[in-house]
Amino acid sequence: MDTGEGDFAFRPQLLQQHQSTMPPLPTRLQTPSSRQHVTDEAQASSIGMPWTESIDPSQELTFMPFWDHQMKFMTSQLTNLQAMPVTNKEGTEDFSITVGDKKNVRVANRSFSSSQFRKIRMTYYDAGPQAQVFNSLWYPAPEYNLPLLGIDLLQFHGGKKHLAVVDFQPVQETEEQHAAKYEHLMQPIRDQYPALQGHMSKRFYDENQFFSKQMLFARFEDESIVSDSLAPAFTQYLDTYMDLMNAQETAPDGAQQVLERHEAYDIYSAHRDPALHMFKAKFGEKWADEFVHEFLFDLSR
């Protein structure tokens, strides 16, 4: 399978751009007595998040509790949490909320940064019983040589089909810097939930690239798995990921290389994301192309 590396050109200016927008980081994170947060509640209010009702009132917002939990978790755990623009690179297209022409689908997005993370993005796609999707991706600040936290939860056909992926996604290629450093933290959680121990197909992604061996992965029809297995595993992975972050020392000398690996990840993911075709069908080709390449994976070009 093509890894996308052939399209990848290193860009040294990436680190300079990142550093110009991020506050200086200490050599080791300390737990502050009080945390400063600017989460822009006006932005959340303007898109109505968290939603309390689906665009089709007959459908539950299956994954909105996951969105809500993550927002509360970020507010309590992250230092200097800041709401970031949710636009294309030129700032001419606002992706905060978009409704399809037929008024039967909508997608809401938020983006944040903090002292520990250069970007955390959140997306909720609500198409009533057709589809409910919560997607989030956490990019550590490049001073931290750590995996990304990837979350992709999908429900289709009014709850008849589900797909769930939660993973500490490794960005480094060598095994000693790959997943081996932290998979032992994930395994005891994954072992508790047999329903989440599946394996992804190779249709879109190679599980040996940018995925760990302790990824939570499941395809299922029984909706009770969402509350009985997925919800507790999700919260435990969040807690463990932050424990990993808080125990990590910064390595400024390696920041450029880490950011280049973030770029490689974005290129790989943008070229393979199956959601692109859905976005094109619902919101148009231009919107979908900019959304994927300039918001979801904004280092991909």
Side-chain angles (χ1 to χ4, degrees):
M1 177 177 286
D2 178 17
T3 66
E5 296 290 331
D7 300 314
F8 172 44
F10 290 154
R11 290 187 279 174
Q13 69 270 27
L14 283 174
L15 183 60
Q16 182 179 358
Q17 293 169 354
H18 163 78
Q19 291 173 332
S20 68
T21 59
M22 291 289 292
L25 290 172
T27 57
R28 186 176 179 85
L29 282 177
Q30 302 292 330
T31 303
S33 57
S34 63
R35 300 181 186 273
Q36 178 184 358
H37 302 288
V38 182
T39 56
D40 194 355
E41 292 308 314
Q43 182 192 72
S45 178
S46 70
I47 63 174
M49 296 300 283
W51 294 327
T52 58
E53 185 177 87
S54 170
I55 200 166
D56 181 337
S58 69
Q59 171 65 38
E60 291 186 0
L61 293 165
T62 308
F63 301 116
M64 194 54 65
F66 291 77
W67 172 292
D68 194 42
H69 178 83
Q70 179 170 313
M71 282 297 309
K72 292 174 180 176
F73 182 88
M74 290 162 52
T75 301
S76 66
Q77 296 295 318
L78 303 185
T79 307
N80 298 324
L81 183 64
Q82 305 283 336
M84 302 296 287
V86 184
T87 66
N88 60 0
K89 290 184 178 180
E90 290 75 24
T92 56
E93 182 73 52
D94 183 3
F95 298 123
S96 296
I97 185 166
T98 304
V99 179
D101 291 340
K102 296 182 179 180
K103 311 299 182 185
N104 62 351
V105 59
R106 60 183 173 175
V107 59
N109 299 281
R110 299 203 69 189
S111 183
F112 301 89
S113 67
S114 76
S115 297
Q116 304 100 319
F117 294 91
R118 70 171 184 86
K119 180 179 180 179
I120 301 173
R121 58 169 176 79
M122 301 171 64
T123 296
Y124 200 99
Y125 178 90
D126 171 26
Q130 183 182 31
Q132 295 288 311
V133 179
F134 172 52
N135 173 266
S136 184
L137 194 58
W138 300 46
Y139 295 85
E143 291 83 357
Y144 297 93
N145 184 15
L146 288 173
L148 313 184
L149 175 61
I151 301 159
D152 208 11
L153 313 178
L154 306 93
Q155 181 187 75
F156 303 102
H157 308 306
K160 295 179 180 178
K161 292 186 178 181
H162 301 77
L163 173 64
V165 182
V166 184
D167 195 19
F168 296 8
Q169 297 193 250
V171 295
Q172 299 295 350
E173 296 178 287
T174 57
E175 189 58 32
E176 61 269 18
Q177 295 191 70
H178 197 258
K181 294 174 64 175
Y182 53 83
E183 283 187 339
H184 67 284
L185 302 174
M186 305 161 66
Q187 184 173 356
I189 303 172
R190 186 174 182 268
D191 286 349
Q192 296 176 49
Y193 304 103
L196 306 178
Q197 296 174 13
H199 297 279
M200 67 192 314
S201 72
K202 295 183 178 181
R203 181 179 179 186
F204 297 108
Y205 300 102
D206 178 357
E207 66 178 3
N208 296 313
Q209 294 191 64
F210 300 117
F211 294 98
S212 79
K213 293 181 174 62
Q214 296 302 324
M215 167 179 54
L216 300 178
F217 182 90
R219 297 180 186 272
F220 55 94
E221 297 180 1
D222 182 358
E223 193 169 2
S224 68
I225 291 175
V226 174
S227 58
D228 295 345
S229 296
L230 185 57
F234 168 77
T235 60
Q236 289 176 267
Y237 264 46
L238 274 183
D239 290 341
T240 302
Y241 187 71
M242 276 309 302
D243 289 343
L244 182 65
M245 167 61 74
N246 290 331
Q248 181 77 12
E249 294 187 0
T250 59
D253 291 346
Q256 176 63 42
Q257 190 272 341
V258 170
L259 200 58
E260 288 167 351
R261 294 305 302 162
H262 287 190
E263 183 181 24
Y265 173 89
D266 273 12
I267 291 172
Y268 178 88
S269 300
H271 287 178
R272 288 159 179 77
D273 193 340
L276 176 60
H277 302 291
M278 177 181 69
F279 291 139
K280 286 181 177 180
K282 298 296 185 181
F283 305 113
E285 185 169 354
K286 181 178 183 297
W287 184 96
D289 186 64
E290 290 187 351
F291 180 63
V292 169
H293 288 282
E294 300 186 22
F295 175 68
L296 293 184
F297 306 106
D298 61 356
L299 297 183
S300 62
R301 67 181 183 191

